[in-house]
Amino acid sequence: MQTSLSAEFRDTPGGRQAEDILRNCVHCGFCNATCPTYELLGDELDGPRGRIYQMKQFLEGAADGAAMRRHLDRCLLCRNCETTCPSGVRYSRLLEISQSALDEKRPRGFIERLRRRLLTRIITHRGLFGALLHLGRGAKLAAKAMGMAPPLLAQVPERQAALGLGGLPTGDGQRRMIALAGCVQSALAANTNLAAAHVLGRLGITLFEVGGAGCCGGVALHTCGEARGRAAARRLIDRWLPHLEQGVEAIVMTASGCGVTVKEYPHLFEDDPEYRDKARRVSDKTVDLCELLRRELPAGYIPSVAPQKVAFHAPCTLQHGQRITGAVESVLVRAGHSLCAVRDSHLCCGSAGTYSLLQPAISAQLRRNKYAALTAEGPEVLCTANIGCQIHLAAGADRPVVHWVELLL
């Protein structure tokens, strides 16, 4: 695709990246065939090809971006289009650059900016989120008692049943790996890291969390822009690097959304001379839990959990972001579980980070579609690899929705 970016963008780091990305696009439209919002809405402007064209016009100065924002905001950033694209277009990076440029040139209204900053602050602050979650559950119970079910309260999930595992095992093995506690996972699904630590402990690997590590930056990147996302990422890098220097073997991601963000730190900091090498060191040590267990779990591994009929939802951040497919399924089968076939497994469930809160109508329809696909063969339990998908699917579910590693205990 021919480009001619306007002077204000042309020689900026983001502008140079955007130009390279746009020139790879041949406008073939294959991406629209696998885009959830295009499939749902049927509008060319709500598909990747249409969004790319709008971003190109904006970056070339031919449009002010006002009309574009609504269509960009509707994007799930599922990256299904990147998996489909024959030209390797980095659509997600182009979207991040364009949204940041648009927010700088045409800031959102005060109420919307405040809403997004509060949302980011609440989600990424573990103590604050935990306190509000406790209050939210109390309000939900009160609302039920009074026959009320306000939409937001109705979506507050119940706390997962405790697995009786206690805290993270200390372990005395020589192999040590870091786990990210995550923004909301520790409050909503504390079982995940506990289960991962106990499974890895049986393999002689000690999994531990670094205090004060905080958010990976993904929430801020997709809600409030690159500046806040980079700040969160720098804090995390600074917390982890000393441990890597002391010989920690790997950083294990139990949430695929965080995993794809951290693995792409080199792209986020490619124009930052202070953090470029640090970001790559952290990224190079990062593995998803399924990558690790596909390699480490021995043949004949027998969990204490009885074999079950399982439907696995592959998060977009795992299959399209990290390009990992089949790993979770192979581990579950190795552990004795039987897997249900899931139609349209490439499509998003509608969670997409904060998307379910910012675009509730589209998100709810995508969840209904995904839930129907997951339950078509009557599984006993649903599982996934990302906390956002897990909580989103669990809202109103009639059977357990867990992180897949719990099925290996």
Side-chain angles (χ1 to χ4, degrees):
M1 181 185 296
Q2 294 296 316
T3 61
S4 180
L5 300 195
S6 65
E8 62 180 312
F9 297 126
R10 188 183 305 128
D11 294 322
T12 65
R16 288 190 289 271
Q17 289 183 50
E19 193 160 35
D20 288 341
I21 296 168
L22 285 168
R23 287 179 176 174
N24 283 331
C25 178
V26 296
H27 230 52
C28 64
F30 287 174
C31 52
N32 280 353
T34 56
C35 174
T37 52
Y38 179 75
E39 181 178 289
L40 204 62
L41 303 173
D43 187 340
E44 174 76 13
L45 297 180
D46 284 313
R49 182 170 62 179
R51 291 188 181 112
I52 287 173
Y53 189 72
Q54 292 173 86
M55 289 185 278
K56 176 179 182 291
Q57 285 188 310
F58 170 68
L59 294 172
E60 289 180 336
D64 66 3
M68 175 181 73
R69 173 167 274 145
R70 181 174 60 143
H71 300 290
L72 297 193
D73 283 349
R74 284 178 179 168
C75 177
L76 293 142
L77 257 182
C78 68
R79 305 195 189 189
N80 211 333
C81 56
E82 293 186 2
T83 299
T84 308
C85 180
S87 302
V89 174
R90 291 169 56 200
Y91 168 86
S92 57
R93 182 59 186 143
L94 179 64
L95 187 71
E96 288 172 356
I97 293 168
S98 300
Q99 286 185 317
S100 291
L102 180 57
D103 286 345
E104 185 174 337
K105 186 174 181 179
R106 292 184 62 91
R108 296 177 187 270
F110 173 76
I111 297 298
E112 182 62 17
R113 292 201 309 274
L114 180 63
R115 179 190 182 200
R116 286 170 173 262
R117 287 180 183 176
L118 285 174
L119 185 59
T120 301
R121 175 64 174 166
I122 290 169
I123 289 176
T124 60
H125 192 291
R126 291 174 62 185
L128 179 58
F129 181 81
L132 290 175
L133 185 65
H134 180 74
L135 291 173
R137 288 197 177 99
K140 182 181 179 183
L141 291 173
K144 282 183 177 179
M146 293 183 291
M148 301 165 58
L152 284 178
L153 295 181
Q155 293 180 32
V156 176
E158 304 299 337
R159 184 178 296 277
Q160 269 191 303
L163 294 176
L165 297 174
L168 291 177
T170 55
D172 54 5
Q174 292 186 345
R175 301 182 68 185
R176 289 171 55 79
M177 300 184 184
I178 294 172
L180 177 63
C183 304
V184 300
Q185 185 168 276
S186 57
L188 290 174
N191 290 345
T192 300
N193 276 5
L194 286 175
H198 280 267
V199 170
L200 291 176
R202 296 176 194 170
L203 307 180
I205 298 169
T206 299
L207 192 67
F208 69 98
E209 297 172 358
V210 175
C215 178
C216 66
V219 173
L221 277 172
H222 301 142
T223 308
C224 291
E226 279 200 15
R228 291 175 181 273
R230 285 175 188 249
R234 288 188 186 100
R235 287 193 295 271
L236 187 57
I237 289 170
D238 289 341
R239 287 284 184 175
W240 278 347
L241 271 180
H243 294 276
L244 295 181
E245 291 167 353
Q246 292 168 14
V248 164
E249 184 176 337
I251 299 165
V252 180
M253 290 294 171
T254 56
S256 60
C258 301
V260 71
T261 299
V262 175
K263 285 184 176 183
E264 293 189 346
Y265 276 179
H267 293 307
L268 187 62
F269 291 104
E270 60 186 315
D271 295 303
D272 185 331
E274 183 182 358
Y275 275 84
R276 186 188 300 118
D277 291 339
K278 295 178 182 179
R280 182 159 297 283
R281 288 170 63 192
V282 166
S283 175
D284 287 347
K285 287 289 187 179
T286 299
V287 296
D288 191 88
L289 179 63
C290 69
E291 293 178 286
L292 179 65
L293 285 178
R294 179 170 55 181
R295 183 174 71 239
E296 300 282 347
L297 200 70
Y301 178 87
I302 301 176
S304 58
V305 176
Q308 297 183 72
K309 188 177 182 182
V310 178
F312 173 64
H313 164 59
C316 299
T317 46
L318 186 69
Q319 62 174 322
H320 304 307
Q322 298 187 57
R323 303 293 179 96
I324 300 173
T325 57
V328 173
E329 294 92 328
S330 67
V331 170
L332 290 174
V333 169
R334 197 183 310 174
H337 299 289
S338 60
L339 292 180
C340 298
V342 179
R343 70 176 184 272
D344 294 330
S345 59
H346 62 286
L347 292 178
C348 182
C349 70
S351 171
T354 57
Y355 191 93
S356 60
L357 298 175
L358 297 171
Q359 300 285 339
I362 297 175
S363 175
Q365 182 59 57
L366 291 171
R367 179 175 59 197
R368 286 191 289 270
N369 295 347
K370 178 60 66 175
Y371 195 76
L374 287 166
T375 56
E377 294 191 1
E380 298 170 80
V381 61
L382 309 182
C383 65
T384 187
N386 191 53
I387 178 62
C389 304
Q390 181 181 343
I391 299 307
H392 186 59
L393 290 169
D398 61 357
R399 66 203 74 195
V401 183
V402 302
H403 189 286
W404 63 269
V405 75
E406 292 185 40
L407 302 177
L408 300 184
L409 285 169

